[in-house]
Amino acid sequence: MISRGGITVTAGATYREGDPALLLVEGLRVGSSKQRIIQDGAMLCILDSSSVAVDTAWVRTPHGTLELEGLAAGTTSDFSLSGRHIDLSQLGGLLHLGTGVSGTGQFDVTANTVDGVSTASFEGRITGPSYGAYQADSITIDIDLAGGDLTVNRISSWDDGVASTLNAYVEDVATADGYSLEPGNIVRAELMLNRLGDWVFYALPIPLRTRGADISARLEYMRDAPAGRRITVEAVASIERLFITTLNMYLSNVVMHLQPDSSEFGTRLTLSSADSSRGTIMATLLLDIDQDSLPAINLEAFDFRADFDAFRASVGGFANVMFSGYLEAEGTDPALVRPEVTGKIQILEGIIGMPGDVAAGETSQPQPLPVDLHISIRGERDLWFRSSLADIEMILDLTVSTQQGFPTVSGTLTSSRGKVHLLQKDFDITEGAVEFLPGFPMEQRIDITAVTVVRGAIDRASYTITVVIQGSPADPVITLSGEGPAGSLTQEDILALLAVGITYGELQQMDSGALQTQLSGAAQNYVGQLLARSLREGVGLDQLELTPDLLADSTSLTLNIGKYVLPDLFVAFEGDIFSSEPGTISAQYYIRPDLYLVGSTKSTLHGEQEPSMELHYTLRY
């Protein structure tokens, strides 16, 4: 046993002299603290005056088993190394590759030297590999090294019986100074990609994500080809749904083609999306790549155009529109100069709300864009602005631009027809606009005027009420005005008409016998709260409810009031103010919280008052 530097080595060795001599090592174990580096191992060496032969050498580790055999004699050597059941998840931790590495590998390596000339080969297979977003059924590897040059015969990723393969030839990998892999020494390389899935877009640093992607591509590099033709790229992708994360929108049934182009640009990328419910889009991107700068990729120029035909999209989480039009851009390397995307869009139909949850006081958080925008958007019909306050058909005149890299909108939405919802009433819009102010966060301003007509429940007269809504959608300023047979209406009259269909003066003249002065308190909704602001302090009722039932040929207003006259005695009255019947008087006496006595008087069919008595008990289980 040998122990040094925290490493402990134990083994049994037997040496037999002779020609040849034999060395046998058995029971090899290597450990560090509580960790077993080598669990078991053995070796048999045969030595003579001119050579050393390793007949068998093997070790078993927690990460797999290694076997070595070979012969070394003078300037000639021939060795082979094999590995079986190699656990890549364990090796990934040792090599600091992270926790996302998995798979089981096996390999065979041969290396021989004859008169100072070395050759080597590597063949291996990884079953069930995964690393980050990448997953496959297996990986196969076949590599040769001869005369210092590296030949990659095949590195293939297999999935459902289909392989994506890399092959290459690299000069001067092995030199007298060691090994190096310089990009300039790559003579040729070809990468064939077949049936790749969604993980490709998750692995690339681009604002695109996919669902149901099927990608095939071919990339070829020839170092000695004429200038400008050293790289050939071809690709096709079929995608069920393509998500553009920076715009918070998606495209359906997408087909993409990347191929060489005969123009001065050299490379063409086309995209099409067609859906019976979402319309069509056709986009073309031409690229001029400086191939002499390889392996670095410098984009010298580009040209982009996208055409839309009855295309439907959700934008920013607050709009769903169908539109036609175009977008275009051109320029030099985007890394040096931010591209500007311009275009004209005609809205055919759609629904627009306020960005973010305005009612909750929240705004959406757009992501910065890698381009500048200047896009004109117009719409003249079938475009509706909808929120909790309004339902309006709008004429749209907007410009989408960028400020400090963030998208913003400026312009106006002008109403052509619609309604405003206020105080449980529909007001017809006479004029209105929503103005978008550019900035981050984007601001909106409302200026809407709408009118409704209320018919009095008692005098049957018509009252015209106008509402003006101005300011921010999050905190609008609402102004009410009205006209009736006697002229202008007070705020009290307006609120009373909207709440129960009668004027404030008519409301004051009511006498129920139980309520003789002002009402206070409270309906438990928005109308009741507005009405209560115009009423003086009441008589201290514990319960007050008004239930109007205003029909074309009859009118009723049910009043329900009550008060605790003693700590355990509650007296209530309920009746129709417009009815000649006396209504119902009741009293509840609480003997204890779960036991109380109810006494009441109510009218019979003959118009008489009939008393009743009930005992109520609450059973909890």
Side-chain angles (χ1 to χ4, degrees), residues 441-465:
M442 183 170 48
E443 296 183 28
Q444 308 91 37
R445 290 290 182 267
I446 290 179
D447 188 353
I448 299 173
T449 302
V451 176
T452 190
V453 176
V454 177
R455 183 171 296 278
I458 296 177
D459 58 11
R460 312 304 295 172
S462 294
Y463 297 87
T464 301
I465 299 175

Side-chain angles (χ1 to χ4, degrees), residues 79 108-113 117-123 142-151 153 179:
F79 286 90
D108 293 290
V109 179
T110 63
N112 63 76
T113 302
V117 179
S118 299
T119 61
S121 68
F122 179 96
E123 293 186 6
D142 183 359
I143 300 174
D144 292 328
L145 180 66
D149 299 338
L150 177 68
T151 301
N153 298 309
Y179 293 89

Side-chain angles (χ1 to χ4, degrees), residues 385-397:
F385 171 79
R386 284 175 178 162
S387 71
S388 59
L389 288 176
D391 187 6
I392 313 170
E393 187 179 25
M394 308 297 291
I395 298 172
L396 180 147
D397 186 358

Side-chain angles (χ1 to χ4, degrees), residues 6-174:
I7 303 294
T8 301
V9 180
T10 61
T14 301
Y15 178 75
R16 190 189 72 182
E17 292 185 352
D19 190 13
L22 299 177
L23 173 62
L24 176 64
V25 178
E26 296 179 298
L28 175 64
R29 293 177 176 82
V30 180
S32 174
S33 183
K34 296 182 179 181
Q35 184 179 6
R36 283 284 181 91
I37 299 174
I38 296 178
Q39 298 170 321
D40 196 5
M43 179 181 66
L44 175 62
C45 292
I46 304 172
L47 305 93
D48 59 24
S49 58
S50 61
S51 65
V52 176
V54 179
D55 183 75
T56 303
W58 62 272
V59 293
R60 188 174 72 249
T61 76
H63 318 301
T65 301
L66 301 177
E67 295 183 2
L68 174 69
E69 61 181 25
L71 172 68
T75 59
T76 300
S77 64
D78 188 2
F79 286 90
S80 64
L81 173 68
S82 64
R84 298 293 183 267
H85 311 296
I86 307 300
D87 187 349
L88 297 186
S89 62
Q90 296 286 342
L91 287 180
L94 293 176
L95 299 176
H96 304 289
L97 297 178
T99 59
V101 180
S102 67
T104 303
Q106 63 182 51
F107 65 85
D108 293 290
V109 179
T110 63
N112 63 76
T113 302
V114 177
D115 298 330
V117 179
S118 299
T119 61
S121 68
F122 179 96
E123 293 186 6
R125 172 184 289 272
I126 302 173
T127 302
S130 68
Y131 182 52
Y134 167 76
Q135 289 184 338
D137 293 339
S138 66
I139 295 176
T140 57
I141 304 171
D142 183 359
I143 300 174
D144 292 328
L145 180 66
D149 299 338
L150 177 68
T151 301
V152 179
N153 298 309
R154 180 184 69 252
I155 300 177
S156 298
S157 173
W158 294 84
D159 200 0
D160 291 334
V162 178
S164 296
T165 301
L166 169 68
N167 62 74
Y169 179 69
V170 186
E171 292 180 333
D172 300 328
V173 173

